[in-house]
Amino acid sequence: MLELADYASLLQNALKKNEFNVFGCRCSIIYSGRAESYLPPGDRIVIIKSDNSLLVHQPEGNNPVNYMKPGSSHYISFDDGKYFLRSQNLIHREYMDIEIHEIYFFESKHLEDGQKIILTGTEKDMAKMLFDNPSLIESGFKPLSMEEQTAFGFIDLFGYDKENTLTVIECKRYAADFKAVEQLKRYVERIKQSKGLTFVRGILAAPKISPNAEDLLHQEGFSFVSVKPPKYLERYDAKQKTLDGF
Amino acid sequence: MLELADYASLLQNALKKNEFNVFGCRCSIIYSGRAESYLPPGDRIVIIKSDNSLLVHQPEGNNPVNYMKPGSSHYISFDDGKYFLRSQNLIHREYMDIEIHEIYFFESKHLEDGQKIILTGTEKDMAKMLFDNPSLIESGFKPLSMEEQTAFGFIDLFGYDKENTLTVIECKRYAADFKAVEQLKRYVERIKQSKGLTFVRGILAAPKISPNAEDLLHQEGFSFVSVKPPKYLERYDAKQKTLDGF
DNA sequence: GGGGAGAGATGCCGC
DNA sequence: GCGGCATTTCTCCCC
């Protein structure tokens, strides 16, 4: 079993090599930057990535309890018989001191990964699906553009309905709330002003809508269409049977 | 050096003990749930916490590339000569398959931590600071309540100005954008309606405000006060000198 | 459990 | 750099 001093030495050397480092320890943490925090002593793991980002995770929960952004710098210091991992990010003016009371394990390894995640079922995918299948909105709907940075703002989808009325569609992949309605309203207002029109239709497309949002939606004269975000891989998986057995 | 089969066996046993597990590996990942994703082969670390949450981190970046929420379940499977870590969360209907090509290291440890982080400099702290020091808003301001769930909504701070006009204050710890203005407007409208008043003042308190937001703010007849979120620990640290030397 | 709002939000894209 | 906006947002609080 290694002593804290041995681990500290290992860590100090590893930090020079810009590899992936992870260690389990008992520690307490002070952070000062955009906000300030103190975390009393307890067991956590600390990760220092090759881009010099730092994460501290408690034994439970999805999110890091403390962290530093990529581009930070880290060093070990020994003051008054205590070990500290001190981190700073000068660009963001953020500082962190981890007082390390004990180290349980330490791993350092060069990790190679240039891959990016492929994600489907996003709001953008919803807009594309509606662009390609406009009857999901309503029969006779003619899409003009999607996900476009227009002069009036970033609009998910817009086009003409079967009465040739200009229509703005705002997509939400989750249950639409009244903020989504306000967003739609903002776009409709901007387009009316920009094009000098007295009426522009607004449609909110989402899996469902909250009661408050629906009230506001109807007050504004807009309408709701129930649409779920598309999941292309689901069909793929059904063929490949890789997610069977659950 | 252990073989993949040995690591798989270690991991399989460790999963039964509900400890903190972390391993470095080469893997590819399929996720299906709220959205769907595929991550091609590369080096990552996988963390399985004692609450059965799971995190996958690439060698760079602050955020996990894939994850499962607490309360998931995980098991090792060996199919067609390939090792998989399969995870599912029945409550959230989420599934993940990690195909493990190689394992570089593996650590399993019981971690003990019941501590919660103490955070200052939040919006709530700002509201309290303004409540305690109302002259930071303007001279003669008389606070009524803060962070209160009123009948008209959740309002950061409200009170009377020196002319005894009812005033709503919305705090933002960051640069205020036009959504903050819309939020303030919503509260002011609700209070006017609820109290049957023809005029209620609105003040946005934030470190700074974007030009677009400021335009909208003045259009609505509201005003801006520059206030920074308080950092109590900063003063504490200045005394204790724990964050010196940077 | 849903709704509303903050977060040391983060990350992406566009200007 | 800022601005606007989505996120497998997450988290908390309150109804």
PDB file of all heavy atoms in Angstrom, chain C residues 10 13 15:
ATOM      1  P    DT C  10     -20.414  26.080 -17.268  1.00  0.00           P
ATOM      2  OP1  DT C  10     -19.222  25.701 -16.501  1.00  0.00           O
ATOM      3  OP2  DT C  10     -20.526  27.419 -17.855  1.00  0.00           O
ATOM      4  O5'  DT C  10     -20.605  25.017 -18.440  1.00  0.00           O
ATOM      5  C5'  DT C  10     -20.806  23.647 -18.119  1.00  0.00           C
ATOM      6  C4'  DT C  10     -21.190  22.892 -19.383  1.00  0.00           C
ATOM      7  O4'  DT C  10     -22.518  23.284 -19.798  1.00  0.00           O
ATOM      8  C3'  DT C  10     -20.261  23.174 -20.570  1.00  0.00           C
ATOM      9  O3'  DT C  10     -19.963  21.960 -21.222  1.00  0.00           O
ATOM     10  C2'  DT C  10     -21.080  24.104 -21.446  1.00  0.00           C
ATOM     11  C1'  DT C  10     -22.497  23.662 -21.155  1.00  0.00           C
ATOM     12  N1   DT C  10     -23.513  24.716 -21.355  1.00  0.00           N
ATOM     13  C2   DT C  10     -24.530  24.504 -22.248  1.00  0.00           C
ATOM     14  O2   DT C  10     -24.633  23.480 -22.902  1.00  0.00           O
ATOM     15  N3   DT C  10     -25.426  25.550 -22.353  1.00  0.00           N
ATOM     16  C4   DT C  10     -25.402  26.758 -21.664  1.00  0.00           C
ATOM     17  O4   DT C  10     -26.254  27.609 -21.848  1.00  0.00           O
ATOM     18  C5   DT C  10     -24.302  26.915 -20.747  1.00  0.00           C
ATOM     19  C7   DT C  10     -24.179  28.181 -19.959  1.00  0.00           C
ATOM     20  C6   DT C  10     -23.435  25.908 -20.635  1.00  0.00           C
ATOM     21  P    DC C  13     -21.556  23.297 -34.577  1.00  0.00           P
ATOM     22  OP1  DC C  13     -21.813  22.168 -35.483  1.00  0.00           O
ATOM     23  OP2  DC C  13     -20.175  23.659 -34.219  1.00  0.00           O
ATOM     24  O5'  DC C  13     -22.257  24.596 -35.154  1.00  0.00           O
ATOM     25  C5'  DC C  13     -23.682  24.689 -35.162  1.00  0.00           C
ATOM     26  C4'  DC C  13     -24.108  26.127 -35.314  1.00  0.00           C
ATOM     27  O4'  DC C  13     -23.884  26.836 -34.067  1.00  0.00           O
ATOM     28  C3'  DC C  13     -23.339  26.903 -36.387  1.00  0.00           C
ATOM     29  O3'  DC C  13     -24.249  27.608 -37.208  1.00  0.00           O
ATOM     30  C2'  DC C  13     -22.450  27.838 -35.599  1.00  0.00           C
ATOM     31  C1'  DC C  13     -23.304  28.091 -34.356  1.00  0.00           C
ATOM     32  N1   DC C  13     -22.533  28.533 -33.169  1.00  0.00           N
ATOM     33  C2   DC C  13     -23.001  29.634 -32.436  1.00  0.00           C
ATOM     34  O2   DC C  13     -24.039  30.200 -32.786  1.00  0.00           O
ATOM     35  N3   DC C  13     -22.293  30.047 -31.355  1.00  0.00           N
ATOM     36  C4   DC C  13     -21.164  29.401 -31.001  1.00  0.00           C
ATOM     37  N4   DC C  13     -20.510  29.838 -29.927  1.00  0.00           N
ATOM     38  C5   DC C  13     -20.684  28.281 -31.747  1.00  0.00           C
ATOM     39  C6   DC C  13     -21.388  27.886 -32.815  1.00  0.00           C
ATOM     40  P    DC C  15     -24.482  34.409 -40.106  1.00  0.00           P
ATOM     41  OP1  DC C  15     -25.681  34.489 -40.959  1.00  0.00           O
ATOM     42  OP2  DC C  15     -23.218  33.854 -40.628  1.00  0.00           O
ATOM     43  O5'  DC C  15     -24.172  35.850 -39.514  1.00  0.00           O
ATOM     44  C5'  DC C  15     -24.965  36.361 -38.443  1.00  0.00           C
ATOM     45  C4'  DC C  15     -24.173  37.374 -37.655  1.00  0.00           C
ATOM     46  O4'  DC C  15     -23.325  36.698 -36.701  1.00  0.00           O
ATOM     47  C3'  DC C  15     -23.255  38.258 -38.498  1.00  0.00           C
ATOM     48  O3'  DC C  15     -23.480  39.628 -38.207  1.00  0.00           O
ATOM     49  C2'  DC C  15     -21.849  37.832 -38.083  1.00  0.00           C
ATOM     50  C1'  DC C  15     -22.079  37.353 -36.660  1.00  0.00           C
ATOM     51  N1   DC C  15     -21.065  36.366 -36.195  1.00  0.00           N
ATOM     52  C2   DC C  15     -20.454  36.570 -34.951  1.00  0.00           C
ATOM     53  O2   DC C  15     -20.769  37.554 -34.273  1.00  0.00           O
ATOM     54  N3   DC C  15     -19.532  35.666 -34.513  1.00  0.00           N
ATOM     55  C4   DC C  15     -19.219  34.613 -35.280  1.00  0.00           C
ATOM     56  N4   DC C  15     -18.308  33.771 -34.810  1.00  0.00           N
ATOM     57  C5   DC C  15     -19.831  34.396 -36.552  1.00  0.00           C
ATOM     58  C6   DC C  15     -20.741  35.295 -36.965  1.00  0.00           C
TER      59       DC C  15
END
